[in-house]
Amino acid sequence: GMWRRLSSALMFDAVHVVVSAVRELNRSQEIGVKPLSCTSPLIWQHGTSLMNYLRMVEYDGLTGHIEFNSKGQRTNYTLKILEKHPAGHKEIGIWYSNNTLAMNSTSLDLNASETLANKSLVVTTILENPYVMRKSNYQEYQGNDQYEGFCVDMLRELADILKFSFKIKLVDDGLYGAPEPNGSWTGMVGELINRKADLAVAGFTITSEREKVIDFSKPFMTLGISILYRVHLGRKPGYFSFLDPFSPAVWLFMLLAYLAVSCVLFLAARLSPYEWYNPHPCLRERRDILENQYTLGNSLWFPVGGFMQQGSEIMPRALSTRCVSGVWWAFTLIIISSYTANLAAFLTVQRMEAPIESPDDLADQTNIQYGTIHGGSTMTFFMNSRYQTYQRMWNYMYSKQPSVFVKSTEEGIARVLNSKYAFLMESTMNEYYRSLNCNLTQIGGLLDTKGYGIGMPLGSPYRDEITLGILQLQESNRLEILKRRWWEGGQCPKEEDHRAKGLGMENIGGIFVVLICGLIIAVFVAIMEFVWSTRRTAETDEVSVCQEMLTEFRNAVSCKKNSRSRRRRPLTSTGGGVLRHPSRLTLAGPRPIRLIREMRLSNGKLYSGAGCPDLGPGPQRLLEDPLVAPPAPPRSFLQACSHVRICQECRRIQSLRPAALTPPPPGASPPPRPDPEADVTAI
Ligand code: ASP
């Protein structure tokens, strides 16, 4: 009866359409009717026009809206889906001619007598860590036991609560599900629509587009789209990171600056008369001698002392040399401050700022490729986005060749690790892979917020029960416990831990290397100095250098006084315990002075004019030697000659040109107070 009624209605509408088309045709042209033979090639002249008018007809008839496309097929119509009920038929949904289906879900739920208890459901899912994974030895198992993961555990607990059994079936095309241009759906969504499965349990995102064609339970996990990128490895701090605060060029210029300062200092000190002074103003024998402390060695040493913030005993006296020292110290101040300020950062820096920090950065560049998993909600998020940045990103991803879309998350991770590729993925998986691989990092925040739900065919009778089960699991914290179990790991040190960690040997080891090298060089130089001095003084010596060095060491260790010269040559002891070489007894006057000056070369201050009564055997004593130097003034006299009290003689010597003076005879008592005018004439 139903079919007859339908065909009558269709016939009725067809006649109506023809009538209105002919009426339209008749309005524009006179249509005459004439008989046509089927065998003649003649056609009715108005035939094609009538066909066009037929296609243009639009009208609401008994079978709904009537409209035709260019091919003459009916378009824009709907089919009502009816369900048989004891009391007749009930409309439960509408099918649209553009291939979409709208089920009136509440009507389906009316048969709520259907419960999950004792049902056996087919569950479609997709392999995705850590939601559903194959066990490592899955070949030994059958059916559901092959799988493990967060979703499998959750499904088992749900099945326990709701008393149903299930069979896990991996989705055929390995996709989550996205709409195709022809209106059908791929992936798990497609399997639910086609009733190949009763549930979809996976990291299955709830979207409005999917909600139109399938049903979702309430979400069991919340997440958002995030960007995964590999850690941008900066240079790892090495042994010599302490050099990094300055570029090699700066270090080079500092070296040049140092050499320049040394040279200028040396020259300025030579030119300036105030740097020439008499270190032994009290010794008559030496009062004609002026010294300049800025020898080449000292000129090189003084800036080093300043630069290292240690100073040295050499102090500039003249304005010119003080000027040089001042600017050098100012230079040092800035250099050292900058160095200190930068040092900590350079010793610890391991991760540099990533070149991208947000989706906008990603959209603004082409150097780093980016993409999503193919046929999932992340892809459709960009496809349907109305936000300008995301639209630009979609245009890039869509048109990029070779494709930036990946088949699976694993493929995406591999691509991130092996090329310049940023992977747009959901934050939960991002978190999971980051905890597994410390070379991965998340860039920026989440692009959106959404949830994972359990998918069901539209109008599934189990939706409320499943939702209830999920809420129960959530409230009993089972889901949280499961999440922790499957997302554990996290061996990667947190960003803050990097900061808090003390500096290790790998950060500052280099300075120990420098120290050790310095010590080795120092010992080497000491040996060279020793050998050099023994060679020079011991022409007639039979003892080998090595042996001599050994004895020297032995004495040093046993805290004996230096016995080197005594052992080497027979020495005579003179009154007062002064030891002298016999050869020195025959030396002419100037020799010890030359010796002393030589020693001053390497030590700026030790033998300066001020008295130093407690010095052991050494040049000071030589100075006091009555045979080579003028008879030593009494100790009290030497002390009186310190910079606090200047004796008459000292003053005179200091104020006179050395060449103009003849040394007073040895043993002469200090001259009487000089006449100021005599001084002037002498100059
Ligand atoms: N979970 C997503 C989905 O349901 C997969 C993705 O596109 O990232 O489609």
Side-chain angles (χ1 to χ4, degrees):
M2 187 143 164
W3 283 116
R4 179 122 8 99
R5 254 189 284 159
L6 180 65
S7 55
S8 311
L10 283 170
M11 182 65 79
F12 177 87
D13 283 344
V15 172
H16 242 276
V17 168
V18 172
V19 167
S20 46
V22 171
R23 196 176 284 156
E24 286 295 307
L25 180 68
N26 201 20
R27 199 181 291 167
S28 62
Q29 47 196 285
E30 192 64 39
I31 38 171
V33 185
K34 63 175 182 193
L36 283 176
S37 143
C38 291
T39 51
S40 86
L42 274 176
I43 56 159
W44 188 43
Q45 70 205 65
H46 304 295
T48 41
S49 310
L50 182 64
M51 286 302 285
N52 286 336
Y53 277 110
L54 274 174
R55 278 196 283 265
M56 279 157 57
V57 171
E58 249 185 76
Y59 131 88
D60 285 306
L62 291 181
T63 58
H65 183 75
I66 292 168
E67 192 185 331
F68 301 94
N69 65 13
S70 57
K71 289 184 199 141
Q73 292 160 335
R74 203 170 153 181
T75 61
N76 239 340
Y77 63 101
T78 57
L79 294 180
K80 286 178 182 153
I81 299 164
L82 303 180
E83 200 178 47
K84 236 182 170 168
H85 272 268
H89 293 99
K90 190 175 183 316
E91 186 185 318
I92 56 161
I94 299 176
W95 182 85
Y96 296 91
S97 58
N98 63 358
N99 242 345
T100 51
L101 181 73
M103 296 298 286
N104 193 351
S105 56
T106 49
S107 65
L108 266 180
D109 286 352
L110 281 180
N111 44 10
S113 55
E114 247 190 298
T115 70
L116 268 170
N118 301 324
K119 289 267 156 52
S120 175
L121 304 183
V122 177
V123 176
T124 181
T125 190
I126 188 168
L127 287 178
E128 175 83 71
N129 295 357
Y131 298 96
V132 179
M133 303 177 279
R134 279 206 172 103
K135 286 182 184 159
S136 49
N137 51 348
Y138 72 98
Q139 288 101 333
E140 299 166 19
Y141 294 97
Q142 288 285 309
N144 296 345
D145 294 338
Q146 294 175 51
Y147 306 103
E148 60 177 358
F150 175 87
C151 281
V152 180
D153 284 354
M154 184 180 74
L155 194 57
R156 292 213 170 100
E157 304 217 358
L158 268 182
D160 272 356
I161 296 175
L162 303 172
K163 310 261 177 308
F164 66 90
S165 63
F166 61 90
K167 184 179 173 304
I168 293 176
K169 167 196 170 298
L170 293 183
V171 62
D172 291 331
D173 57 6
L175 296 176
Y176 281 90
E180 293 279 274
N182 67 7
S184 66
W185 282 76
T186 58
M188 292 189 284
V189 183
E191 298 209 338
L192 289 178
I193 291 175
N194 300 329
R195 310 267 168 167
K196 283 192 191 162
D198 302 303
L199 295 180
V201 182
F204 194 42
T205 311
I206 304 172
T207 67
S208 67
E209 224 186 353
R210 287 176 179 172
E211 187 74 73
K212 279 185 200 146
V213 293
I214 56 170
D215 271 351
F216 281 104
S217 70
K218 291 256 171 333
F220 59 83
M221 199 180 266
T222 49
L223 60 132
I225 295 173
S226 61
I227 304 170
L228 183 84
Y229 195 60
R230 76 192 139 146
V231 169
H232 196 74
L233 271 187
R235 150 208 57 76
K236 244 189 142 97
Y239 261 35
F240 290 94
S241 293
F242 67 88
L243 289 177
D244 293 346
F246 293 136
S247 69
V250 174
W251 286 116
L252 183 72
F253 278 117
M254 269 158 60
L255 183 71
L256 292 180
Y258 158 70
L259 291 176
V261 165
S262 300
C263 283
V264 172
L265 193 63
F266 178 73
L267 293 177
R270 284 295 140 117
L271 290 180
S272 168
Y274 303 104
E275 283 294 347
W276 291 97
Y277 66 99
N278 187 336
H280 309 292
C282 305
L283 299 174
R284 247 160 279 138
E285 180 73 357
R286 309 199 49 213
R287 65 193 152 193
D288 57 338
I289 294 171
L290 287 187
E291 275 199 28
N292 192 321
Q293 60 177 344
Y294 286 102
T295 58
L296 200 54
N298 279 352
S299 301
L300 286 167
W301 178 242
F302 174 74
V304 171
F307 189 77
M308 297 297 178
Q309 318 265 286
Q310 300 304 316
S312 60
E313 298 261 310
I314 312 150
M315 278 300 134
R317 292 151 193 258
L319 187 62
S320 55
T321 47
R322 284 181 178 175
C323 189
V324 177
S325 315
V327 291
W328 174 247
W329 288 336
F331 172 87
T332 301
L333 177 74
I334 301 302
I335 290 282
I336 297 286
S337 311
S338 323
Y339 179 81
T340 314
N342 271 339
L343 185 62
F346 277 89
L347 288 181
T348 49
V349 161
Q350 251 174 7
R351 300 164 175 241
M352 291 202 326
E353 297 283 87
I356 38 171
E357 271 166 5
S358 66
D360 295 82
D361 291 349
L362 212 52
D364 287 341
Q365 54 84 50
T366 50
N367 186 21
I368 297 167
Q369 298 191 348
Y370 51 93
T372 72
I373 189 169
H374 183 74
S377 61
T378 309
M379 187 182 95
T380 40
F381 168 84
F382 284 99
M383 191 161 68
N384 301 332
S385 178
R386 297 264 148 269
Y387 182 57
Q388 199 199 344
T389 304
Y390 302 157
Q391 273 177 349
R392 256 194 303 151
M393 289 170 81
W394 171 251
N395 289 337
Y396 162 84
M397 290 192 268
Y398 183 68
S399 56
K400 182 77 186 167
Q401 283 304 328
S403 173
V404 288
F405 296 111
V406 290
K407 286 222 183 57
S408 66
T409 307
E410 246 116 83
E411 191 190 321
I413 302 290
R415 201 157 163 182
V416 168
L417 287 172
N418 299 325
S419 63
K420 277 191 165 184
Y421 181 78
F423 190 36
L424 292 151
M425 68 188 310
E426 288 168 336
S427 55
T428 42
M429 299 171 203
N430 189 324
E431 197 184 320
Y432 175 76
Y433 284 101
R434 263 185 295 137
S435 75
L436 285 187
N437 190 334
C438 304
N439 289 335
L440 294 172
T441 185
Q442 178 179 330
I443 286 173
L446 303 185
L447 278 62
D448 64 350
T449 13
K450 47 199 180 187
Y452 288 152
I454 293 182
M456 282 157 276
L458 208 57
S460 167
Y462 314 127
R463 185 162 90 158
D464 285 348
E465 274 186 277
I466 299 269
T467 290
L468 211 68
I470 284 179
L471 292 179
Q472 277 176 23
L473 288 179
Q474 222 151 40
E475 282 157 18
S476 60
N477 294 335
R478 284 303 302 160
L479 291 183
E480 188 58 36
I481 292 167
L482 285 184
K483 166 112 200 260
R484 276 169 199 242
R485 181 193 300 167
W486 290 104
W487 266 261
E488 55 150 36
Q491 305 91 331
C492 293
K494 291 225 172 64
E495 218 47 49
E496 307 88 69
D497 295 356
H498 274 295
R499 303 275 148 76
K501 219 176 65 187
L503 293 178
M505 211 53 190
E506 66 277 10
N507 303 100
I508 50 165
I511 201 67
F512 288 88
V513 175
V514 172
L515 180 68
I516 290 165
C517 289
L519 293 183
I520 291 172
I521 291 172
V523 168
F524 185 71
V525 170
I527 292 171
M528 292 303 285
E529 284 174 342
F530 186 89
V531 171
W532 179 252
S533 67
T534 25
R535 279 274 164 75
R536 241 181 11 158
T537 50
E539 294 90 8
T540 58
D541 208 350
E542 311 85 43
V543 194
S544 80
V545 175
C546 275
Q547 253 173 330
E548 221 171 288
M549 219 180 285
L550 257 176
T551 331
E552 196 72 40
F553 271 125
R554 211 173 297 139
N555 290 338
V557 170
S558 59
C559 291
K560 273 192 210 150
K561 283 208 171 162
N562 183 330
S563 58
R564 189 167 139 207
S565 32
R566 186 193 312 170
R567 188 181 35 70
R568 207 185 298 145
R569 290 207 180 87
L571 286 166
T572 52
S573 178
T574 55
V578 178
L579 301 167
R580 285 188 293 107
H581 287 238
S583 55
R584 284 227 178 108
L585 293 170
T586 62
L587 278 176
R591 168 94 159 137
I593 294 167
R594 212 200 79 210
L595 260 178
I596 294 158
R597 292 194 73 181
E598 254 164 33
M599 304 199 104
R600 269 192 57 82
L601 271 177
S602 56
N603 191 319
K605 207 65 180 283
L606 192 59
Y607 307 122
S608 63
C612 183
D614 289 323
L615 266 182
Q620 183 67 37
R621 289 299 173 88
L622 286 175
L623 283 176
E624 295 171 25
D625 195 326
L627 288 175
V628 289
R635 229 160 233 185
S636 57
F637 177 71
L638 270 177
Q639 276 160 351
C641 235
S642 73
H643 68 282
V644 185
R645 285 176 58 198
I646 299 173
C647 65
Q648 299 302 327
E649 189 192 33
C650 300
R651 193 183 283 160
R652 221 190 72 198
I653 292 169
Q654 278 174 339
S655 60
L656 291 179
R657 292 292 296 256
L661 274 174
T662 46
S669 58
R673 186 191 190 91
D675 181 23
E677 275 165 34
D679 276 351
V680 173
T681 46
I683 289 165

